[in-house]
Every structure is written in structure tokens, then in C-alpha cells.
Amino acid sequence: MIKLAIKSLLNRRASVLLTVIAIAVSVTLLLAVERTREQVQTNFANTVSGTDLIIGARTSQIQLLLSSVFHIGSMTNNMSWEAFDDIRSRPAVEWAVPISLGDSVGGLPVVATTKDYFKHFRYGSKQSLTFAAGDAFKGEKQVVLGAEAASKLNKKVGDNITIAHGSGGISFSEHDDHPLTVVGTLKRTGTPVDQTILTSLTSLEVIHGGESHEKHDHGDSHAPPAESISAALLGLKAKPLALRLQRQINTYKPEPLTALLPGMTLQELWKTLRVFEQALTVISSMVVLIGLLGMLTIMLASLRERRREMAVLRAVGAGPGTVFGLLVSEALLLTVVGAASGLALLYLLEWSLAGVIQSQTGIVLSFAWPTVAEWWRLGLVVATGFLLSLIPAWRAYRQSLADGLTVKV
């Protein structure tokens, strides 16, 4: 039956090819929605690991997470160094890394921090940052480039760069009188760190007109390295202390602050975006259905032309059930080939666009075997194709019973 179906389809190459292309493109769209959702969630989850709390000025937790870790959006207010110093000195806190944002280089974010950032920041499965060349900044007017930043800016250790005030590709002024020297480049992490320019808090203060005080880079003396910061990453001595400290920070009396647990806030973000995910899934499902309905239309339209073919099959001994099975086999072959082609097209697009997507968004695409959710979607496409094939198969079955060798016109 399959061989007969293949030969029958080959006799109608043009319409079959168009049908397969339509199904393949629609299946690619359907799978791309699921894969994009899964890849984005995985990349976001891998961005920060081992950080128990993120704190900043009073704002929504999602906005604080997006701006401080993913460099999406901007902070409207800063928290004072005094508040940060008070919180990091609490018994529950094991380490604290301050972060100051708001500047950029060629549209890439500048993150001012301390050398503790390289010591405590973790990504993926609690992996540490490692250097491809050079080392961490040791004083003022020094920067460390993420892997993508080094590539985009075409800079290496020893080169100079100029920081601009403003972020997101909008620069208000260039600090030409304070060039910074690249002292290190990081290995690729597959996180927003790849697109950042890391420098010390004291360097940023000097660039913005503050006094030079290199010896205070760690903030260990009475003179702070900055008057205020955008956010801070905290590591606690025991994870069960996170909720208690979060409550204390959210009710901090000297100034309004926000503390968030990264994992829980990410879950809230996905819940917020679930409506958009579902809308995209519905739209892509409708596109797949339209492709399959196109296959159904072509098969129904060709039945009148194929009545003589069916009659000949009856004449050589094929029963009505054989005619029914032939039509179902043809539709299943078209659906399976279209679905397989759609999966192959998805991998081709991933392979060809992976570099562009990573450079523009920082999201690293992984060429993984289809997930369970993707297999379910492929199965539903094939099942839908099978159900739709029953319509032309039943009509061919009825016609073959009535026609015999005579074609009615």
C-alpha cells in the first residue's frame, strides 16, 4: 500500500511538493514557538546561579531582576551605599556584590562593580567566570570585556575604550577625557555577561567627576567607592534565611528597598508571559491547520480526476477498502514528510541564525533532540492529518462502489 501511495504521489509531483512545503513551514512555526519558549527560559535560568537575593531601590521585582541581571530596561532610582553597607554587614549575609548601571559602550551595558564580582558571580550549574585573556581590573580606568563585547567592539587586552553616559544604544555624552584600558576578556558564558563591560565602582565615580580613590575599590574603608548603586547580589550563609532577610529588606525603614529571590521572580515572569505564549501557540496551530486543510482541499479536488484511476484499481482486484487505504496512506505520507521537513527546517534555521540571535539577544541556542512537548506537537499534526484524510478516503470509497469501470460525467 505504501509503495502504491508513493507512486501515486510521484505522478502528482507539483501539487504534492506545494502541499509538503505548506505543511513544513507551518510545522516549523509551531515548533519554533515551543523551542523559543524553552530556550529563553533555560537561558534566563542559567544566567544567575548561587545568588540568593537581589536588592535595589523600591520597584517591581520583575523590573529589578530584568535591569540588574539581564540589562533589560533601566532603574529609576538608586539605593544608597549606606543601606548596602548596612545590609551586607548582617549576620545572615556571606557575601555581597554591588552593581552600578546606566552607562554603555557602543550600545553594550557597562556594569560597575568590585573585584568580588569575579569571585562570587555564578551562572549555569554554579560555574565561575573564567578569563580568556588577562585578568580582573586592579585599579581605576580598567575594564574587563565579556566575550561578545570583545568581539563586537573588536577590542583586546591593552586597547582603550571610551564609556558613554546612557544605555540601550542611546548615549547622551562621551567621556572622551577618561579612556579606560582593557585588562581582561572573559570566556563565553551564554549569558548577558558576554555582552557587558565590567569596571570598578571607583572608575565610574572618577569618570562622572568624582575624586580618585583607588584604595577604596572594595569599599572596605570608611570612604565608600560610590555614593549610590543600582543593585546588589547577595549570597547567604544558609538558604532558609532568604525569606526572613527578604522581608526585613522590603520593610527597611531608612529608605524604600526591594529584595527578590531570583528563582521565584523568574517564575512570576513566566506566568506574566504565559498569555502571550498561549496566543502564539494558538496562532501557529491555526497555521498548521490551514496547511493541512490545503492538503485536504487538493485531495478532494483531485478525486474527480482520479475516478478512472480508482475504477482501474477495482478492475485489477482492489476492493473498496484498498481504495480507502490508498487515500489515507497518501495523506499520512504527505503529513509525515511535511512534519519531518518542518523539523529539519527548524534545525537549519537554528544553525544559520544562532550567531545572529546570540549577538543581538545574548540567547544561546542549543541543538538538542526534540523535547517531549515538541514530539507531542508533531504527533498531533500527524494525527490531525490522519483524521482529515478520512474525508477524501470515504468519498473515494463510496465512489469506487458506485462507479465500477464507468466514469460518470
Side-chain angles (χ1 to χ4, degrees), residues 220-366:
D220 296 329
S221 66
H222 294 294
E227 294 182 2
S228 63
I229 57 175
S230 302
L233 311 179
L234 301 184
L236 306 183
K237 295 176 181 178
K239 290 188 179 296
L241 300 173
L243 288 174
R244 182 189 303 174
L245 185 58
Q246 181 189 31
R247 184 167 55 252
Q248 293 174 0
I249 295 172
N250 287 334
T251 57
Y252 190 69
K253 292 183 179 180
E255 62 182 273
L257 299 177
T258 296
L260 64 88
L261 284 77
M264 292 180 63
T265 306
L266 274 177
Q267 292 302 317
E268 292 179 12
L269 177 62
W270 303 139
K271 288 179 182 178
T272 303
L273 297 177
R274 191 163 297 166
V275 174
F276 300 100
E277 294 175 9
Q278 292 172 346
L280 287 174
T281 300
V282 169
I283 293 172
S284 57
S285 299
M286 291 179 65
V287 173
V288 172
L289 183 59
I290 291 171
L292 293 174
L293 287 174
M295 175 188 71
L296 172 63
T297 302
I298 291 175
M299 294 188 71
L300 287 173
S302 66
L303 281 182
R304 182 177 179 83
E305 301 173 0
R306 299 180 65 189
R307 291 178 77 172
R308 185 180 298 276
E309 174 188 342
M310 302 304 171
V312 171
L313 287 174
R314 291 296 310 278
V316 296
T322 302
V323 174
F324 182 91
L326 174 63
L327 270 293
V328 171
S329 298
E330 289 181 5
L332 275 177
L333 279 173
L334 285 174
T335 307
V336 171
V337 172
S341 301
L343 182 61
L345 180 59
L346 176 67
Y347 282 113
L348 178 62
L349 290 174
E350 278 190 337
W351 174 78
S352 58
L353 298 177
V356 176
I357 291 174
Q358 182 174 344
S359 63
Q360 295 297 321
T361 66
I363 295 176
V364 179
L365 299 181
S366 59

Side-chain angles (χ1 to χ4, degrees), residues 72-131:
I72 299 173
S74 59
M75 299 293 294
T76 55
N77 295 304
N78 284 353
M79 65 181 294
S80 67
W81 184 267
E82 289 76 12
F84 167 71
D85 200 32
D86 177 28
I87 292 170
R88 72 171 176 174
S89 63
R90 300 195 176 193
V93 179
E94 183 175 5
W95 55 265
V97 176
I99 291 174
S100 188
L101 306 167
D103 291 332
S104 63
V105 176
L108 300 174
V110 172
V111 177
T113 181
T114 66
K115 287 186 284 188
D116 286 339
Y117 184 91
F118 303 101
K119 179 180 178 182
H120 296 296
F121 185 86
R122 298 288 185 273
Y123 69 96
S125 301
K126 295 188 177 181
Q127 296 170 265
S128 302
L129 297 175
T130 54
F131 283 84

Side-chain angles (χ1 to χ4, degrees), residues 105 108-110 118 130-133 135-137 142-161 163 180-188 192-199:
V105 176
L108 300 174
V110 172
F118 303 101
T130 54
F131 283 84
D135 204 347
F137 47 76
Q142 295 180 344
V143 296
V144 172
L145 303 181
E148 195 65 34
S151 176
K152 277 188 173 182
L153 300 174
N154 193 25
K155 298 292 184 180
K156 60 183 183 300
V157 174
D159 291 343
N160 290 335
I161 64 173
I163 288 180
L180 304 181
T181 303
V182 178
V183 296
T185 57
L186 296 170
K187 290 184 178 179
R188 194 173 298 278
V193 174
D194 293 343
Q195 302 195 47
T196 59
I197 293 91
L198 296 159
T199 189

